[in-house]
Amino acid sequence: MSEVLPLPRAARAFVSFVALLRVNGFAIAPEQTTAFLEAIALLGPRDPEDIRQAGLATLAPPPERRATYDLLFRIHFLGGEEVGSAEGEDEETVRLQEEGRGDEEPLLADEANVSGEMAVRTEALAERRLAPGGPSDALRRLAREAPSRLPRRRGHRRMRARRGPWADLRRTLRETARNDGEVMRLGRLKRRARPRKMLLLIDVSGSMKARSEDNLRLAHTLMQATPNIEVFTFGTRLTHLTRALRLKRREQALAAAAHLVSDWDGGTRIGDALQAFLAVPRFGSYARGAAVVVLSDGLERGDLSALRDAVAKLSRRAWRLSWLTPLATGARFVPQTEALIAIHRFVDDMADGGSNAAVVAHVLSLRQRRAA
């Protein structure tokens, strides 16, 4: 039997780059990885551009994902987060509206971006660099306690138990054979508990500018703590961020997410965003039986009937629907905005979403809230 030789240290960076591409959905065969390493050895690259070109020639990323390839290359080899403008939109980004809605617009998007306090309807496409920073105490608590405190559901598979509704005949017969045919104890079975699906919908409009970065860091922490979670952002577009936030390194994940989201600090079309989410069957299935958490102030400038209908449908699909808004500053919070008043009867919880500590405390209490 031939001995497997260890990977040379100089080649590890190139092989880990291929692994990073695979994690982000690029289909790369082992033969392509070998060809990539051979191209690097042949070129003897003196510049990172030589490595990038070798990857383009051997790993063959599809043309529509070339911008994502370049982003991951910069993150991996150059350690930077600044990216150029993408040539095309991501396949999992749903555009909600046209740029501008006519003369009835009260404010332009760039006028609202100055303060981040007004909700507008216009679309303003922009990229944003997320400031580096370590996890807060609240995020450390979430990472530590989430595996044991997040909601769970009963799975279809069964496991041994002291008490349970089903008899474990296999184990009982095995022990009976050991005891010369005498039944000493009847084994029991119960359904195995599994992590419940979670769905996180994050508002990145101008009125949520102060919370957007913290909410994305919280989403990344939650993504590492539980396998069954999907993350979307919405403003004037609906963007699926699950794949980007699965990256283990926080800086890489946030840089990739910041590149995918193109409607930072722009308009607010919550109803249209939720309607678009429910209209895509693959997306809508994520909410079925899930613990759904919406991080938004609810400052809607679109049609309230669209928002009301979307929240009602989402509530019927979800196991529990929580709406966390920075406007809820106390336990006796009463909705004051038209949008929050319209959806209040459809949500299970309308609570404080103005800080990481408040959001983490609510997420970790979801199991007890449902039991109560």
Side-chain angles (χ1 to χ4, degrees):
M1 183 177 179
S2 60
E3 183 181 357
V4 179
L5 298 177
L7 185 69
R9 186 173 183 179
R12 293 175 186 172
F14 306 112
V15 174
S16 60
F17 174 59
V18 175
L20 178 63
L21 292 176
R22 287 198 182 105
V23 168
N24 283 271
F26 289 83
I28 301 174
E31 296 80 6
Q32 290 176 283
T33 304
T34 304
F36 178 49
L37 295 176
E38 291 175 350
I40 297 296
L42 180 64
L43 291 174
R46 300 179 181 178
D47 188 270
E49 180 63 19
D50 295 339
I51 302 174
R52 191 184 74 86
Q53 294 293 343
L56 290 175
T58 57
L59 304 178
E64 64 272 13
R65 300 204 65 196
R66 186 71 58 82
T68 305
Y69 170 87
D70 291 339
L71 167 71
L72 295 174
F73 180 86
R74 290 192 186 101
I75 292 173
H76 186 78
F77 287 105
L78 304 180
E81 296 182 2
E82 184 174 356
V83 295
S85 59
E87 297 177 2
E89 295 182 11
D90 188 86
E91 61 181 359
E92 295 189 339
T93 299
V94 180
R95 183 167 181 170
L96 305 181
Q97 63 180 85
E98 297 296 329
E99 291 190 52
R101 304 290 294 184
D103 295 335
E104 77 273 2
E105 294 303 324
L107 283 175
L108 295 177
D110 54 357
E111 293 175 326
N113 288 346
V114 175
S115 64
E117 296 176 354
M118 294 291 293
V120 298
R121 299 172 63 182
T122 52
E123 178 176 59
L125 302 186
E127 288 188 355
R128 186 169 173 180
R129 294 183 61 185
L130 302 185
S136 63
D137 292 339
L139 296 187
R140 292 191 187 95
R141 180 193 175 196
L142 179 63
R144 182 176 62 253
E145 300 182 14
S148 60
R149 294 187 56 184
L150 287 179
R152 303 178 73 83
R153 66 174 180 86
R154 290 188 301 168
H156 296 290
R157 293 191 177 185
R158 301 174 183 177
M159 61 181 294
R160 296 180 181 181
R162 291 181 178 273
R163 300 183 182 87
W166 299 282
D168 188 351
L169 296 180
R170 180 179 298 176
R171 181 158 57 112
T172 301
L173 291 174
R174 188 164 52 244
E175 292 180 356
T176 300
R178 294 196 193 102
N179 296 322
D180 297 328
E182 185 174 355
V183 178
M184 304 294 294
R185 182 169 59 92
L186 183 63
R188 309 302 298 179
L189 291 172
K190 68 176 182 179
R191 291 171 65 175
R192 187 188 303 271
R194 299 177 59 84
R196 182 170 291 278
K197 291 190 299 183
M198 292 195 68
L199 173 63
L200 201 58
L201 300 170
I202 303 174
D203 187 345
V204 294
S205 63
S207 58
M208 287 289 290
K209 185 175 183 179
R211 287 291 307 156
S212 297
E213 293 189 18
D214 287 339
N215 287 339
L216 275 187
R217 291 190 177 91
L218 185 143
H220 178 262
T221 302
L222 203 56
M223 182 74 68
Q224 306 308 310
T226 180
N228 253 2
I229 182 171
E230 299 289 336
V231 180
F232 291 79
T233 61
F234 63 88
T236 56
R237 300 185 178 204
L238 179 72
T239 307
H240 193 191
L241 291 185
T242 302
R243 185 180 296 168
L245 293 178
R246 279 203 183 108
L247 294 173
K248 198 162 188 178
R249 287 183 55 189
R250 184 187 304 271
E251 293 79 9
Q252 286 186 347
L254 294 181
H259 173 67
L260 291 176
V261 178
S262 59
D263 54 341
W264 291 107
D265 309 331
T268 310
R269 304 284 293 180
I270 306 175
D272 289 346
L274 297 182
Q275 293 281 8
F277 172 84
L278 294 169
V280 180
R282 178 165 61 95
F283 292 172
S285 66
Y286 296 148
R288 197 172 302 280
V292 180
V293 178
V294 182
L295 301 176
S296 172
D297 51 13
L299 298 180
E300 171 68 302
R301 295 304 299 269
D303 186 6
L304 286 182
S305 62
L307 174 63
R308 187 186 306 109
D309 293 344
V311 173
K313 293 178 182 177
L314 192 62
S315 177
R316 288 194 294 268
R317 296 191 187 188
W319 170 76
R320 189 173 187 88
L321 175 58
S322 300
W323 195 288
L324 306 186
T325 169
L327 303 179
T329 55
R332 299 182 179 179
F333 167 71
V334 177
Q336 299 293 329
T337 65
E338 292 184 353
L340 293 183
I341 293 173
I343 65 173
H344 185 261
R345 63 192 178 100
F346 299 113
V347 301
D348 297 293
D349 306 299
M350 188 169 286
D352 184 13
S355 67
N356 279 345
V359 176
V360 168
H362 182 85
V363 169
L364 293 179
S365 69
L366 284 175
R367 189 194 298 187
Q368 288 75 18
R369 287 172 180 267
R370 183 65 176 187

PDB file of all heavy atoms in Angstrom, residues 295-319:
ATOM      1  N   LEU A 295     -35.745  41.400  11.695  1.00  0.00           N
ATOM      2  CA  LEU A 295     -35.059  42.514  12.340  1.00  0.00           C
ATOM      3  C   LEU A 295     -35.316  43.765  11.512  1.00  0.00           C
ATOM      4  O   LEU A 295     -34.635  44.032  10.526  1.00  0.00           O
ATOM      5  CB  LEU A 295     -33.557  42.227  12.450  1.00  0.00           C
ATOM      6  CG  LEU A 295     -33.168  40.966  13.232  1.00  0.00           C
ATOM      7  CD1 LEU A 295     -31.661  40.742  13.172  1.00  0.00           C
ATOM      8  CD2 LEU A 295     -33.629  41.068  14.673  1.00  0.00           C
ATOM      9  N   SER A 296     -36.319  44.536  11.903  1.00  0.00           N
ATOM     10  CA  SER A 296     -36.717  45.711  11.125  1.00  0.00           C
ATOM     11  C   SER A 296     -37.470  46.673  12.024  1.00  0.00           C
ATOM     12  O   SER A 296     -38.181  46.258  12.948  1.00  0.00           O
ATOM     13  CB  SER A 296     -37.603  45.294   9.945  1.00  0.00           C
ATOM     14  OG  SER A 296     -38.149  46.415   9.287  1.00  0.00           O
ATOM     15  N   ASP A 297     -37.336  47.979  11.725  1.00  0.00           N
ATOM     16  CA  ASP A 297     -38.084  48.973  12.494  1.00  0.00           C
ATOM     17  C   ASP A 297     -39.525  49.085  12.032  1.00  0.00           C
ATOM     18  O   ASP A 297     -40.350  49.702  12.698  1.00  0.00           O
ATOM     19  CB  ASP A 297     -37.392  50.335  12.414  1.00  0.00           C
ATOM     20  CG  ASP A 297     -37.085  50.759  10.982  1.00  0.00           C
ATOM     21  OD1 ASP A 297     -37.635  50.123  10.054  1.00  0.00           O
ATOM     22  OD2 ASP A 297     -36.295  51.691  10.793  1.00  0.00           O
ATOM     23  N   GLY A 298     -39.847  48.493  10.867  1.00  0.00           N
ATOM     24  CA  GLY A 298     -41.215  48.544  10.380  1.00  0.00           C
ATOM     25  C   GLY A 298     -41.627  49.882   9.805  1.00  0.00           C
ATOM     26  O   GLY A 298     -42.825  50.158   9.688  1.00  0.00           O
ATOM     27  N   LEU A 299     -40.673  50.719   9.412  1.00  0.00           N
ATOM     28  CA  LEU A 299     -40.998  52.014   8.807  1.00  0.00           C
ATOM     29  C   LEU A 299     -41.236  51.804   7.315  1.00  0.00           C
ATOM     30  O   LEU A 299     -40.345  52.006   6.494  1.00  0.00           O
ATOM     31  CB  LEU A 299     -39.875  53.021   9.057  1.00  0.00           C
ATOM     32  CG  LEU A 299     -39.606  53.345  10.523  1.00  0.00           C
ATOM     33  CD1 LEU A 299     -38.480  54.355  10.649  1.00  0.00           C
ATOM     34  CD2 LEU A 299     -40.868  53.877  11.198  1.00  0.00           C
ATOM     35  N   GLU A 300     -42.426  51.393   6.967  1.00  0.00           N
ATOM     36  CA  GLU A 300     -42.781  51.031   5.598  1.00  0.00           C
ATOM     37  C   GLU A 300     -43.304  52.234   4.834  1.00  0.00           C
ATOM     38  O   GLU A 300     -44.138  52.987   5.344  1.00  0.00           O
ATOM     39  CB  GLU A 300     -43.846  49.921   5.635  1.00  0.00           C
ATOM     40  CG  GLU A 300     -44.476  49.573   4.303  1.00  0.00           C
ATOM     41  CD  GLU A 300     -43.512  48.903   3.339  1.00  0.00           C
ATOM     42  OE1 GLU A 300     -42.465  49.522   3.036  1.00  0.00           O
ATOM     43  OE2 GLU A 300     -43.797  47.778   2.893  1.00  0.00           O
ATOM     44  N   ARG A 301     -42.806  52.429   3.601  1.00  0.00           N
ATOM     45  CA  ARG A 301     -43.308  53.491   2.740  1.00  0.00           C
ATOM     46  C   ARG A 301     -44.060  52.931   1.546  1.00  0.00           C
ATOM     47  O   ARG A 301     -44.439  53.661   0.652  1.00  0.00           O
ATOM     48  CB  ARG A 301     -42.143  54.372   2.261  1.00  0.00           C
ATOM     49  CG  ARG A 301     -41.440  55.126   3.364  1.00  0.00           C
ATOM     50  CD  ARG A 301     -42.383  55.990   4.168  1.00  0.00           C
ATOM     51  NE  ARG A 301     -43.030  57.009   3.349  1.00  0.00           N
ATOM     52  CZ  ARG A 301     -42.535  58.229   3.180  1.00  0.00           C
ATOM     53  NH1 ARG A 301     -41.425  58.582   3.767  1.00  0.00           N
ATOM     54  NH2 ARG A 301     -43.166  59.085   2.425  1.00  0.00           N
ATOM     55  N   GLY A 302     -44.240  51.619   1.504  1.00  0.00           N
ATOM     56  CA  GLY A 302     -44.990  50.997   0.427  1.00  0.00           C
ATOM     57  C   GLY A 302     -46.442  50.788   0.809  1.00  0.00           C
ATOM     58  O   GLY A 302     -46.983  51.425   1.718  1.00  0.00           O
ATOM     59  N   ASP A 303     -47.083  49.864   0.120  1.00  0.00           N
ATOM     60  CA  ASP A 303     -48.496  49.572   0.330  1.00  0.00           C
ATOM     61  C   ASP A 303     -48.666  48.751   1.603  1.00  0.00           C
ATOM     62  O   ASP A 303     -48.113  47.657   1.732  1.00  0.00           O
ATOM     63  CB  ASP A 303     -49.030  48.799  -0.881  1.00  0.00           C
ATOM     64  CG  ASP A 303     -50.533  48.580  -0.797  1.00  0.00           C
ATOM     65  OD1 ASP A 303     -51.147  49.123   0.137  1.00  0.00           O
ATOM     66  OD2 ASP A 303     -51.073  47.870  -1.664  1.00  0.00           O
ATOM     67  N   LEU A 304     -49.448  49.262   2.548  1.00  0.00           N
ATOM     68  CA  LEU A 304     -49.642  48.549   3.813  1.00  0.00           C
ATOM     69  C   LEU A 304     -50.405  47.246   3.628  1.00  0.00           C
ATOM     70  O   LEU A 304     -50.201  46.295   4.377  1.00  0.00           O
ATOM     71  CB  LEU A 304     -50.382  49.447   4.808  1.00  0.00           C
ATOM     72  CG  LEU A 304     -49.582  50.592   5.431  1.00  0.00           C
ATOM     73  CD1 LEU A 304     -50.444  51.351   6.422  1.00  0.00           C
ATOM     74  CD2 LEU A 304     -48.338  50.058   6.118  1.00  0.00           C
ATOM     75  N   SER A 305     -51.293  47.189   2.641  1.00  0.00           N
ATOM     76  CA  SER A 305     -52.042  45.948   2.416  1.00  0.00           C
ATOM     77  C   SER A 305     -51.118  44.834   1.962  1.00  0.00           C
ATOM     78  O   SER A 305     -51.298  43.670   2.356  1.00  0.00           O
ATOM     79  CB  SER A 305     -53.144  46.183   1.379  1.00  0.00           C
ATOM     80  OG  SER A 305     -52.595  46.561   0.122  1.00  0.00           O
ATOM     81  N   ALA A 306     -50.093  45.155   1.150  1.00  0.00           N
ATOM     82  CA  ALA A 306     -49.122  44.140   0.730  1.00  0.00           C
ATOM     83  C   ALA A 306     -48.329  43.641   1.923  1.00  0.00           C
ATOM     84  O   ALA A 306     -48.069  42.435   2.054  1.00  0.00           O
ATOM     85  CB  ALA A 306     -48.187  44.717  -0.333  1.00  0.00           C
ATOM     86  N   LEU A 307     -47.948  44.554   2.804  1.00  0.00           N
ATOM     87  CA  LEU A 307     -47.223  44.151   4.007  1.00  0.00           C
ATOM     88  C   LEU A 307     -48.100  43.289   4.906  1.00  0.00           C
ATOM     89  O   LEU A 307     -47.651  42.248   5.410  1.00  0.00           O
ATOM     90  CB  LEU A 307     -46.758  45.398   4.762  1.00  0.00           C
ATOM     91  CG  LEU A 307     -46.099  45.156   6.115  1.00  0.00           C
ATOM     92  CD1 LEU A 307     -44.816  44.355   5.972  1.00  0.00           C
ATOM     93  CD2 LEU A 307     -45.822  46.482   6.826  1.00  0.00           C
ATOM     94  N   ARG A 308     -49.342  43.688   5.105  1.00  0.00           N
ATOM     95  CA  ARG A 308     -50.253  42.935   5.974  1.00  0.00           C
ATOM     96  C   ARG A 308     -50.472  41.515   5.436  1.00  0.00           C
ATOM     97  O   ARG A 308     -50.409  40.542   6.189  1.00  0.00           O
ATOM     98  CB  ARG A 308     -51.575  43.677   6.087  1.00  0.00           C
ATOM     99  CG  ARG A 308     -52.542  43.067   7.103  1.00  0.00           C
ATOM    100  CD  ARG A 308     -53.885  43.750   7.070  1.00  0.00           C
ATOM    101  NE  ARG A 308     -53.775  45.197   7.246  1.00  0.00           N
ATOM    102  CZ  ARG A 308     -53.996  46.095   6.285  1.00  0.00           C
ATOM    103  NH1 ARG A 308     -54.339  45.690   5.075  1.00  0.00           N
ATOM    104  NH2 ARG A 308     -53.873  47.384   6.526  1.00  0.00           N
ATOM    105  N   ASP A 309     -50.700  41.401   4.128  1.00  0.00           N
ATOM    106  CA  ASP A 309     -50.946  40.081   3.540  1.00  0.00           C
ATOM    107  C   ASP A 309     -49.713  39.197   3.634  1.00  0.00           C
ATOM    108  O   ASP A 309     -49.810  37.996   3.924  1.00  0.00           O
ATOM    109  CB  ASP A 309     -51.368  40.232   2.076  1.00  0.00           C
ATOM    110  CG  ASP A 309     -52.728  40.914   1.923  1.00  0.00           C
ATOM    111  OD1 ASP A 309     -53.456  40.981   2.926  1.00  0.00           O
ATOM    112  OD2 ASP A 309     -53.031  41.378   0.813  1.00  0.00           O
ATOM    113  N   ALA A 310     -48.531  39.774   3.378  1.00  0.00           N
ATOM    114  CA  ALA A 310     -47.307  38.982   3.420  1.00  0.00           C
ATOM    115  C   ALA A 310     -47.018  38.481   4.829  1.00  0.00           C
ATOM    116  O   ALA A 310     -46.635  37.318   5.018  1.00  0.00           O
ATOM    117  CB  ALA A 310     -46.130  39.809   2.895  1.00  0.00           C
ATOM    118  N   VAL A 311     -47.189  39.348   5.831  1.00  0.00           N
ATOM    119  CA  VAL A 311     -46.935  38.934   7.213  1.00  0.00           C
ATOM    120  C   VAL A 311     -47.944  37.878   7.652  1.00  0.00           C
ATOM    121  O   VAL A 311     -47.604  36.930   8.372  1.00  0.00           O
ATOM    122  CB  VAL A 311     -46.957  40.150   8.155  1.00  0.00           C
ATOM    123  CG1 VAL A 311     -46.855  39.724   9.610  1.00  0.00           C
ATOM    124  CG2 VAL A 311     -45.820  41.112   7.808  1.00  0.00           C
ATOM    125  N   ALA A 312     -49.193  38.013   7.202  1.00  0.00           N
ATOM    126  CA  ALA A 312     -50.201  37.006   7.542  1.00  0.00           C
ATOM    127  C   ALA A 312     -49.827  35.644   6.965  1.00  0.00           C
ATOM    128  O   ALA A 312     -49.929  34.612   7.651  1.00  0.00           O
ATOM    129  CB  ALA A 312     -51.571  37.453   7.031  1.00  0.00           C
ATOM    130  N   LYS A 313     -49.379  35.604   5.695  1.00  0.00           N
ATOM    131  CA  LYS A 313     -48.961  34.334   5.089  1.00  0.00           C
ATOM    132  C   LYS A 313     -47.731  33.772   5.783  1.00  0.00           C
ATOM    133  O   LYS A 313     -47.640  32.564   6.025  1.00  0.00           O
ATOM    134  CB  LYS A 313     -48.668  34.551   3.602  1.00  0.00           C
ATOM    135  CG  LYS A 313     -49.888  34.888   2.768  1.00  0.00           C
ATOM    136  CD  LYS A 313     -49.500  35.147   1.318  1.00  0.00           C
ATOM    137  CE  LYS A 313     -50.706  35.543   0.484  1.00  0.00           C
ATOM    138  NZ  LYS A 313     -50.324  35.867  -0.927  1.00  0.00           N
ATOM    139  N   LEU A 314     -46.780  34.647   6.098  1.00  0.00           N
ATOM    140  CA  LEU A 314     -45.569  34.202   6.768  1.00  0.00           C
ATOM    141  C   LEU A 314     -45.891  33.629   8.144  1.00  0.00           C
ATOM    142  O   LEU A 314     -45.314  32.620   8.566  1.00  0.00           O
ATOM    143  CB  LEU A 314     -44.598  35.378   6.884  1.00  0.00           C
ATOM    144  CG  LEU A 314     -43.156  35.074   7.299  1.00  0.00           C
ATOM    145  CD1 LEU A 314     -42.488  34.172   6.281  1.00  0.00           C
ATOM    146  CD2 LEU A 314     -42.366  36.370   7.454  1.00  0.00           C
ATOM    147  N   SER A 315     -46.828  34.245   8.835  1.00  0.00           N
ATOM    148  CA  SER A 315     -47.211  33.770  10.161  1.00  0.00           C
ATOM    149  C   SER A 315     -47.843  32.384  10.099  1.00  0.00           C
ATOM    150  O   SER A 315     -47.618  31.540  10.977  1.00  0.00           O
ATOM    151  CB  SER A 315     -48.186  34.760  10.805  1.00  0.00           C
ATOM    152  OG  SER A 315     -48.635  34.302  12.056  1.00  0.00           O
ATOM    153  N   ARG A 316     -48.647  32.126   9.063  1.00  0.00           N
ATOM    154  CA  ARG A 316     -49.281  30.814   8.940  1.00  0.00           C
ATOM    155  C   ARG A 316     -48.268  29.713   8.649  1.00  0.00           C
ATOM    156  O   ARG A 316     -48.462  28.566   9.051  1.00  0.00           O
ATOM    157  CB  ARG A 316     -50.347  30.855   7.841  1.00  0.00           C
ATOM    158  CG  ARG A 316     -51.589  31.643   8.233  1.00  0.00           C
ATOM    159  CD  ARG A 316     -52.729  31.376   7.278  1.00  0.00           C
ATOM    160  NE  ARG A 316     -52.453  31.882   5.936  1.00  0.00           N
ATOM    161  CZ  ARG A 316     -52.798  33.104   5.523  1.00  0.00           C
ATOM    162  NH1 ARG A 316     -53.417  33.934   6.359  1.00  0.00           N
ATOM    163  NH2 ARG A 316     -52.551  33.493   4.293  1.00  0.00           N
ATOM    164  N   ARG A 317     -47.194  30.052   7.960  1.00  0.00           N
ATOM    165  CA  ARG A 317     -46.182  29.045   7.641  1.00  0.00           C
ATOM    166  C   ARG A 317     -45.213  28.811   8.796  1.00  0.00           C
ATOM    167  O   ARG A 317     -44.687  27.712   8.952  1.00  0.00           O
ATOM    168  CB  ARG A 317     -45.382  29.469   6.407  1.00  0.00           C
ATOM    169  CG  ARG A 317     -46.201  29.548   5.142  1.00  0.00           C
ATOM    170  CD  ARG A 317     -45.302  29.710   3.939  1.00  0.00           C
ATOM    171  NE  ARG A 317     -46.078  29.947   2.729  1.00  0.00           N
ATOM    172  CZ  ARG A 317     -45.570  29.968   1.506  1.00  0.00           C
ATOM    173  NH1 ARG A 317     -44.269  29.746   1.340  1.00  0.00           N
ATOM    174  NH2 ARG A 317     -46.324  30.192   0.454  1.00  0.00           N
ATOM    175  N   ALA A 318     -44.963  29.829   9.573  1.00  0.00           N
ATOM    176  CA  ALA A 318     -43.908  29.765  10.588  1.00  0.00           C
ATOM    177  C   ALA A 318     -44.382  29.033  11.840  1.00  0.00           C
ATOM    178  O   ALA A 318     -45.573  29.012  12.165  1.00  0.00           O
ATOM    179  CB  ALA A 318     -43.435  31.169  10.950  1.00  0.00           C
ATOM    180  N   TRP A 319     -43.418  28.472  12.544  1.00  0.00           N
ATOM    181  CA  TRP A 319     -43.674  27.906  13.862  1.00  0.00           C
ATOM    182  C   TRP A 319     -43.898  29.026  14.872  1.00  0.00           C
ATOM    183  O   TRP A 319     -44.773  28.953  15.725  1.00  0.00           O
ATOM    184  CB  TRP A 319     -42.479  27.045  14.269  1.00  0.00           C
ATOM    185  CG  TRP A 319     -42.457  26.578  15.685  1.00  0.00           C
ATOM    186  CD1 TRP A 319     -43.206  25.582  16.231  1.00  0.00           C
ATOM    187  CD2 TRP A 319     -41.620  27.074  16.738  1.00  0.00           C
ATOM    188  NE1 TRP A 319     -42.899  25.420  17.550  1.00  0.00           N
ATOM    189  CE2 TRP A 319     -41.921  26.328  17.896  1.00  0.00           C
ATOM    190  CE3 TRP A 319     -40.648  28.071  16.818  1.00  0.00           C
ATOM    191  CZ2 TRP A 319     -41.275  26.549  19.115  1.00  0.00           C
ATOM    192  CZ3 TRP A 319     -40.002  28.294  18.021  1.00  0.00           C
ATOM    193  CH2 TRP A 319     -40.320  27.538  19.157  1.00  0.00           C
TER     194      TRP A 319
END
